[in-house]
C-alpha cells in the first residue's frame, strides 16, 4: 500500500480516477486453437501487471508494493520470464536482467539485508526457482559481473543442504531460516517442496547426481513424514502443509494449497525426465491427479466450459484467500505446464487437459481489455468491486501461457539474446553435462543470439507514464 502521495502520483491518481469512472470494458477474447489470441491476452495482462510494478512510489528495484510478500516478487519475475519464453516478446526482459539482481543479497543467495531477518526457506525458494527458470531459458544478467542465474540457484541449494536438520523429524528443512523467528519450530512442505523441485531441476539440467540424490532424499523424507497422503486415502496424493518439531512431526497441519502441491508435481516430473524411472512418473501423476480433482471445480463435467475451472480450494469458496494465497494458481499453471512437457507419455496432460482449457476460457472472461483480472474465474466475469492484484494477474498470465506451452512445448530462447540490455554472452553458458534425454525443456541454454536492437522496457514504461500524465493534464484542464 502506498503511504505517501508524491507530486507525480497525484497526477497519476487523477488519471486513475478518470479510469475508475464506470466504463464498460469488454472481456478478453481467446480461441484455444489460435495461439495468437492467447499471446495477445497474455500481453494485455502482463502490461497491466508491469504497471503495478512500475507505478510504485518509491520504486525499489526487485520489490513489489509492500502488501505483497518477498516471495511474490520472485513469482513476478518468473512470470515475466515465462511470458518472454512462451510468447517471444522481449519487451520486459530488462526487469529480470536488471531489477531482479537488486535482491540477490551480498551472499548471492536471495537474503537481501532489507528482508533477510524475516525470510523463510520458501520465500528464498521461489526466487531460486525463478533463477532456475532463467538458467533453463538461457537468459543472462545485464551486468556481466553479476552471478549467473545458475550460480544463484546452486547457492540456494547449498544453503538448503547446510540447513537440513536431521536432529528432529529425521530430517527436513524448517520453515524459518533463523531461530528467533516464528516457524523455526515447524518443518513445512513449502520449504521442502521448493528444495525438492530445485534439486530435481538442477539435477535434470546439469546431470550432476548430487542434486538428483538430494531430490530423492527430500521426497522420501516428505512422504515418510506423512506430508503426502497415501493412495488408499480418499485424498490420496494430497500434500499437507507442516508439522511442529517438538514431537518429531507427529501432528500434521493438513492445510493445503495449489502451490504447495505444484512444487512436488514439477519436481517429480523433472525427476522422471532425468531418470526415466516409472516410479517418478507414477508419483507425478498421483500428485497431479489430486490437483485435477481438487484445484479445479466444480468437478462434475458440464459440456459448456463452466466445470473444472481453477479454484484455490482451501479458501476461495468462502472468500477467505489472503493476498499470498491469491498468487498460488500461477505456480500451479507454471508447474503443470512444465510437468506436461517433461512427461512424453502424455499421462499428465490427459489428466488435466480439460482443466487447463476450461480455466483459460474462464480466465479470459474474468479479465478485461485493460488487463485487470478477477480471482474467482468461475464467475466468468470481472467485478471491479472485488478488484484485482498482482496474484490475480499472474494467475491469468500463467494459465494462458500453459495453453501455449501445451500446444508448442519449445521455449523461444532467442528472445533472451535479443534484448538491448543483454551483454554479448560468451562465458555465461551455465551447467556442466546436460542430460541428452530432454532437449526441448531442459539441457543447456542455447547460445544467445547476437543482440538485435529493440525498445528498452524502461523507456516503454516511461512512455506509458507520460501518456498517463498527459491525460491527467488534459483532465485537469477540463
Ligand atoms: C533497502 O531499503 C531502503 C529503504 O527503503 C531502500 O532505499 C534500498 O533501496 C533497499 N535496498 C534494496 C537492495 O532493496
Ligand atoms: C555436483 O554438485 C555438488 C553440489 O553443488 C558439487 O559440490 C559438486 O562439485 C558437483 N559435481 C560436479 C562434477 O560438478
Ligand atoms: C510413502 O510412505 C508410505 C508409508 O509412510 C509408504 O507405504 C509408501 O511406499 C511411500 N511411497 C513412496 C512413493 O515412497
Ligand atoms: C473456509 O473454508 C475452508 C475450507 O473449506 C475452511 O477450512 C475454513 O475454515 C473456512 N473459513 C471460514 C472463515 O469459514
Ligand atoms: C465463485 O463465484 C461463483 C459465482 O458467483 C460462486 O458460486 C462460487 O461459490 C465462488 N467460488 C468458487 C470457488 O467457485
Ligand atoms: C484443449 O484445447 C486444445 C486446443 O483446442 C485441444 O487440442 C485439446 O483437445 C483440448 N482438450 C480437451 C480435453 O478437450
Ligand atoms: C460485485 O462484487 C460485490 C462485492 O462482492 C457484490 O456485492 C456485487 O453483487 C458483485 N457484482 C456483480 C455484478 O456480481
Amino acid at each position: 500500500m502506498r503511504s505517501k502521495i508524491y507530486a507525480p502520483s497525484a497526477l497519476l491518481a487523477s488519471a486513475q480516477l478518470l479510469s475508475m469512472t464506470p466504463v464498460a470494458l469488454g472481456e478478453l477474447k481467446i480461441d484455444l486453437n489460435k495461439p495468437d489470441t492467447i499471446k495477445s491476452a497474455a500481453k494485455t495482462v502482463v502490461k497491466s501487471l508491469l504497471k503495478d510494478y512500475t507505478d510504485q512510489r518509491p520504486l525499489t528495484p526487485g520489490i513489489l508494493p509492500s502488501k505483497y510478500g518477498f516471495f511474490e516478487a520472485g513469482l513476478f519475475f518468473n512470470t515475466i520470464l515465462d511470458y518472454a519464453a512462451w510468447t517471444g516478446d522481449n519487451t520486459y526482459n530488462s526487469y529480470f536482467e536488471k531489477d531482479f539482481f537488486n535482491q540477490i543479497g551480498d551472499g548471492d543467495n536471495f537474503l537481501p539485508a532489507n528482508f533477510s531477518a524475516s525470510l523463510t526457506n520458501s520465500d528464498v525458494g521461489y526466487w531460486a526457482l525463478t533463477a532456475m527458470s532463467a538458467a533453463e531459458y538461457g537468459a543472462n544478467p545485464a551486468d556481466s559481473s553479476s552471478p549467473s542465474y545458475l550460480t544463484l540457484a546452486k547457492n540456494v541449494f547449498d544453503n538448503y543442504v547446510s540447513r537440513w536438520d536431521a536432529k528432529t523429524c529425521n530430517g527436513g528443512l524448517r520453515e524459518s531460516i533463523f531461530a528467533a523467528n516464528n516457524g523455526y519450530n515447524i518443518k513445512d512442505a513449502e520449504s521442502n517442496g521448493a528444495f525438492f523441485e530445485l534439486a530435481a531441476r538442477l539435477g535434470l539440467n546439469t546431470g550432476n547426481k548430487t542434486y538428483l540424490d538430494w531430490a530423492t532424499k527430500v521426497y522420501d523424507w516428505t512422504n515418510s513424514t506423512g506430508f503426502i497422503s497415501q493412495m488408499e486415502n480418499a485424498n490420496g496424493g494430497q500434500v499437507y502443509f507442516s508439522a511442529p518439531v517438538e514431537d518429531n512431526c507427529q501432528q500434521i497441519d493438513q492445510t493445503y494449497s495449489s502451490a504447495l502441491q505444484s512444487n512436488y508435481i514439477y519436481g517429480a516430473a523433472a525427476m522422471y525426465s532425468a531418470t526415466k524411472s516409472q516410479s517418478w512418473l507414477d508419483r507425478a501423476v498421483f500428485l497431479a491427479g489430486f490437483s485435477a480433482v481438487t484445484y479445479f471445480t466444480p468437478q462434475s463435467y458440464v459440456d459448456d466450459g463452466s466445470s473444472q475451472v481453477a479454484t484455490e480450494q482451501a479458501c476461495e469458496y468462502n472468500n477467505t484467500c489472503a493476498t499470498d494465497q491469491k498468487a498460488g494458481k500461477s505456480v500451479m499453471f507454471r508447474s503443470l505446464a512444465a510437468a506436461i512437457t517433461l512427461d512424453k507419455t502424455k499421462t499428465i496432460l490427459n489428466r488435466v487437459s480439460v482443466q487447463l482449457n476450461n480455466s483459460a476460457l474462464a480466465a479470459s472472461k474474468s479479465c478485461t481489455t485493460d488487463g485487470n483480472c478477477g480471482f474467482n474465474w468461475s464467475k466468468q466475469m470481472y467485478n471491479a468491486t472485488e478488484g484485482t492484484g498482482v496474484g490475480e494477474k499472474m494467475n491469468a498470465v500463467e494459465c494462458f501461457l500453459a495453453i501455449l506451452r501445451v500446444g508448442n512445448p519449445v521455449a523461444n530462447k532467442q528472445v533472451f539474446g535479443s534484448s538491448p540490455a543483454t551483454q554479448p554472452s560468451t562465458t555465461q553458458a551455465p551447467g556442466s553435462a546436460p542430460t541428452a534425454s530432454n532437449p526441448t525443456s531442459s539441457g543447456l541454454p542455447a547460445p544467445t543470439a547476437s543482440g538485435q536492437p529493440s525498445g528498452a522496457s524502461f523507456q516503454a514504461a516511461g512512455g506509458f507514464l507520460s501518456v498517463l500524465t498527459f491525460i491527467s493534464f488534459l483532465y485537469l484542464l477540463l
Side-chain angles (χ1 to χ4, degrees):
M1 285 285 179
R2 238 171 276 153
S3 52
K4 295 177 191 163
I5 301 269
Y6 291 74
S9 307
L11 289 175
L12 277 178
S14 62
Q16 279 157 1
L17 268 181
L18 193 63
S19 69
M20 271 158 62
T21 52
V23 176
L25 281 161
E27 63 192 34
L28 292 179
K29 298 260 193 297
I30 62 167
D31 179 337
L32 293 176
N33 293 311
K34 294 185 179 145
D36 284 349
T37 65
I38 300 171
K39 284 184 189 176
S40 163
K43 181 176 184 157
T44 299
V45 181
V46 157
K47 182 174 178 180
S48 169
L49 174 64
L50 262 293
K51 190 164 141 26
D52 292 344
Y53 176 78
T54 55
D55 276 4
Q56 298 177 78
R57 295 291 178 276
L59 192 160
T60 301
I63 294 301
L64 292 168
S66 61
K67 67 185 274 199
Y68 301 105
F70 181 74
F71 83 98
E72 193 153 346
L75 296 184
F76 167 79
F77 287 109
N78 213 333
T79 305
I80 310 176
L81 272 155
D82 292 340
Y83 171 74
W86 302 104
T87 65
D89 178 359
N90 73 355
T91 304
Y92 305 110
N93 286 21
S94 75
Y95 295 105
F96 54 76
E97 290 168 348
K98 290 181 187 161
D99 292 27
F100 177 86
F101 286 86
N102 199 42
Q103 301 303 334
I104 63 176
D106 292 340
D108 297 344
N109 59 354
F110 304 110
L111 289 173
N114 282 354
F115 301 97
S116 58
S118 63
L119 293 182
T120 64
N121 278 306
S122 64
D123 287 330
V124 167
Y126 279 117
W127 282 79
L129 293 171
T130 297
M132 195 67 228
S133 294
E136 287 165 353
Y137 291 142
N140 291 295
D143 179 348
S144 57
S145 68
S146 297
S148 73
Y149 292 106
L150 187 67
T151 297
L152 296 169
K154 284 178 170 179
N155 290 349
V156 172
F157 171 88
D158 290 343
N159 286 168
Y160 281 167
V161 169
S162 70
R163 291 180 204 138
W164 185 260
D165 164 44
K167 292 193 200 75
T168 56
C169 313
N170 284 315
L173 288 177
R174 292 168 184 257
E175 182 181 43
S176 289
I177 297 173
F178 302 106
N181 293 338
N182 284 342
Y184 193 71
N185 69 326
I186 296 287
K187 295 208 171 159
D188 69 311
E190 242 178 348
S191 301
N192 288 285
F195 188 8
F196 170 58
E197 184 188 324
L198 181 64
R201 290 169 67 186
L202 279 168
L204 173 62
N205 283 283
T206 67
N208 180 331
K209 189 166 176 296
T210 306
Y211 298 123
L212 300 175
D213 289 347
W214 267 100
T216 303
K217 178 170 169 156
V218 179
Y219 189 91
D220 287 348
W221 175 83
T222 306
N223 181 56
S224 66
T225 307
F227 285 179
I228 299 175
S229 179
Q230 296 305 299
M231 189 89 75
E232 49 279 12
N233 300 333
N235 49 358
Q238 179 165 12
V239 178
Y240 296 130
F241 185 65
S242 68
V245 299
E246 287 86 355
D247 63 355
N248 277 315
C249 293
Q250 296 301 299
Q251 308 290 323
I252 293 176
D253 173 350
Q254 297 196 345
T255 304
Y256 54 103
S257 79
S258 62
L260 186 65
Q261 187 81 17
S262 300
N263 292 327
Y264 282 93
I265 295 170
Y266 195 164
M271 288 302 284
Y272 169 61
S273 184
T275 66
K276 297 289 170 283
S277 151
Q278 179 69 31
S279 65
W280 278 115
L281 179 60
D282 292 346
R283 289 170 201 167
V285 170
F286 181 47
L287 295 160
F290 179 81
S291 289
V293 299
T294 305
Y295 296 116
F296 297 88
T297 62
Q299 266 301 305
S300 49
Y301 182 75
V302 188
D303 197 22
D304 64 358
S306 69
S307 61
Q308 303 182 34
V309 170
T311 303
E312 195 60 68
Q313 181 72 249
C315 58
E316 191 166 330
Y317 281 108
N318 50 21
N319 209 19
T320 54
C321 295
T323 302
D324 288 0
Q325 289 170 296
K326 287 186 176 171
K329 291 174 198 170
S330 74
V331 179
M332 176 165 79
F333 286 111
R334 168 160 53 249
S335 305
L336 285 176
I340 285 167
T341 307
L342 292 164
D343 166 23
K344 305 297 180 213
T345 71
K346 296 196 188 297
T347 317
I348 298 174
L349 173 60
N350 291 336
R351 206 67 198 75
V352 300
S353 180
V354 175
Q355 287 85 341
L356 295 185
N357 287 0
N358 288 359
S359 294
L361 290 168
S364 68
K365 293 183 178 128
S366 305
C367 296
T368 60
T369 50
D370 65 352
N372 286 327
C373 298
F375 180 62
N376 177 344
W377 297 347
S378 300
K379 292 183 176 163
Q380 314 248 358
M381 61 167 283
Y382 179 68
N383 182 334
T385 310
E386 295 185 343
T388 184
V390 167
E392 291 89 326
K393 293 175 193 177
M394 294 194 299
N395 295 344
V397 171
E398 288 290 352
C399 181
F400 298 143
L401 297 180
I403 301 292
L404 294 172
R405 297 173 75 161
V406 169
N408 178 12
V410 182
N412 184 330
K413 289 184 175 178
Q414 283 74 21
V415 76
F416 299 106
S418 57
S419 164
T422 305
Q423 306 292 320
S425 163
T426 47
T427 56
Q428 291 276 353
S432 50
T435 51
S437 50
N438 209 313
T440 55
S441 53
S442 67
L444 289 179
T448 52
S450 61
Q452 302 156 3
S454 74
S457 56
F458 275 120
Q459 280 165 11
F464 185 65
L465 289 181
S466 349
V467 169
L468 270 184
T469 308
F470 182 56
I471 292 172
S472 308
F473 272 122
L474 287 182
Y475 184 60
L476 291 173
L477 290 174
L478 289 175

